[in-house]
């Protein structure tokens, strides 16, 4: 890191706000509320200032720019829930970690994309990752293997939740319930089935039962943990 490199927000001493100015915490939580309601694209320094009844210039005294604000938002939501205590049972502990991450991602729909696109190195994010590594530690003394197992687990969690969120976003974008959406695409699906070109997908559409997202997550998680246990042998 060179001397002229920008200072990370985590390395800064955040100044105590003036009596009439919004605190950094209020700024961040106002931004989170906007992102939760309207998506991260709605978050701007000007919009946050408006919601707080403050001048935009005032916000820049405490948060350098929007990118720094998003870093603070990501880390704040990572610290909303108390971390579970570890039992020493790696399977139970990693299951608890995975479910805690899923809960946070479903609470804040914008978070998954941000965690995939920026390093999460704030204190709350580091505590979560430390917990995951500690949960996996009984599996192996090889820190590289342990890290890879945690990375594999998190990849599954993010992929599963991203798929779950995609369905939620479709409903939000179209304004249709799941039943209404299915009714709207059913003529096309019947045409696809009639072609005979997709026998396995046809069986899936006609015969398979719909699995609730939470149950599907648990099924996938059990498969991943079984694979992790085999890798550790």
């Amino acid at each position: 890191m060179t001397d002229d490199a920008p200072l990370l927000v985590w390395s800064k001493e955040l100044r105590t706000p003036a009596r009439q100015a919004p605190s950094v915490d209020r700024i961040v939580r106002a931004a989170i509320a906007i992102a939760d309601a309207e998506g991260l694209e709605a978050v701007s320094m000007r919009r946050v200032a408006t919601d707080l009844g403050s001048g935009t210039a005032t916000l820049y005294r405490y948060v350098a720019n929007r990118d720094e604000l998003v870093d603070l938002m990501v880390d704040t939501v990572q610290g909303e829930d108390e971390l579970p205590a570890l039992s020493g049972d790696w399977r139970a502990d990693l299951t608890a970690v995975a479910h805690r991450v899923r809960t946070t991602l479903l609470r804040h729909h914008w978070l998954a994309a941000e965690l995939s696109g920026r390093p999460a190195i704030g204190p709350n994010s580091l505590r979560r990752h430390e917990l995951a590594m500690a949960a996996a530690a009984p599996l192996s003394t090889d820190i590289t293997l342990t890290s890879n197992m945690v990375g594999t687990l998190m990849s599954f969690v993010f992929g599963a939740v991203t798929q779950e969120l995609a369905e939620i976003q479709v409903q939000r974008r179209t304004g249709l319930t799941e039943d209404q959406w299915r009714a709207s695409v059913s003529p096309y699906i019947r045409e696809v089935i009639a072609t005979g070109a997709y026998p396995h997908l046809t069986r899936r559409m006609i015969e398979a039962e719909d699995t609730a997202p939470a149950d599907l997550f648990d099924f996938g998680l059990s498969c991943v943990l079984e694979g992790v246990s085999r890798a550790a042998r």
Side-chain angles (χ1 to χ4, degrees):
M1 183 174 179
T2 61
D3 292 340
D4 58 352
L7 190 63
L8 292 174
V9 63
W10 315 117
S11 301
K12 294 179 179 179
E13 288 288 335
L14 295 176
R15 294 172 293 175
T16 302
R19 182 173 299 177
Q20 300 301 321
S23 68
V24 172
D25 184 66
R26 284 187 62 215
I27 293 169
V28 173
R29 294 194 180 282
I32 291 170
I34 294 169
D36 286 346
E38 304 175 36
L40 191 63
E41 63 277 5
V43 175
S44 67
M45 299 295 276
R46 182 185 297 276
R47 170 64 189 279
V48 173
T50 298
D51 281 17
L52 290 173
S54 173
T56 305
T58 301
L59 267 62
Y60 283 108
R61 294 173 56 194
Y62 308 104
V63 181
N65 49 48
R66 184 183 184 277
D67 198 53
E68 185 171 291
L69 175 60
V70 174
D71 280 337
L72 291 166
M73 292 167 62
V74 167
D75 200 63
T76 296
V77 299
Q78 294 267 60
E80 286 178 337
D81 299 318
E82 185 177 349
L83 296 179
L86 297 181
S87 66
D89 178 339
W90 69 265
R91 189 181 294 270
D93 290 339
L94 285 178
T95 296
V97 167
H99 277 279
R100 189 60 56 91
V101 173
R102 177 177 180 266
T103 296
T104 302
L105 295 176
L106 290 177
R107 183 186 299 146
H108 304 285
H109 293 178
W110 51 271
L111 180 60
E114 286 307 303
L115 286 176
S116 299
R118 67 174 61 228
I121 54 176
N124 290 321
S125 300
L126 293 178
R127 279 190 285 270
R128 278 201 168 195
H129 195 67
E130 174 69 16
L131 180 74
M133 293 291 291
L139 280 164
S140 175
T141 58
D142 184 336
I143 193 64
T144 300
L145 179 59
T146 302
S147 178
N148 289 344
M149 289 188 292
V150 170
T152 298
L153 175 65
M154 290 300 107
S155 293
F156 161 73
V157 174
F158 276 76
V161 174
T162 297
Q163 182 62 42
E164 193 171 346
L165 289 175
E167 296 181 7
I168 294 173
Q169 292 301 325
V170 166
Q171 293 179 29
R172 178 177 294 181
R173 186 177 65 251
T174 62
L176 301 176
T177 66
E178 183 176 356
D179 288 341
Q180 290 172 331
W181 182 83
R182 289 188 177 190
S184 71
V185 300
S186 61
Y188 168 71
I189 296 300
R190 286 194 293 270
E191 292 177 4
V192 169
I193 292 173
T195 67
Y198 308 99
H200 296 289
L201 287 176
T202 295
R203 283 199 65 200
R204 187 260 178 264
M205 289 185 283
I206 294 175
E207 300 177 28
E209 297 180 1
D210 287 331
T211 304
D215 293 335
L216 187 59
F217 182 85
D218 285 338
F219 173 77
L221 179 59
S222 67
C223 292
V224 171
L225 292 179
E226 180 60 28
V228 163
S229 69
R230 291 176 179 273
R233 292 173 188 170

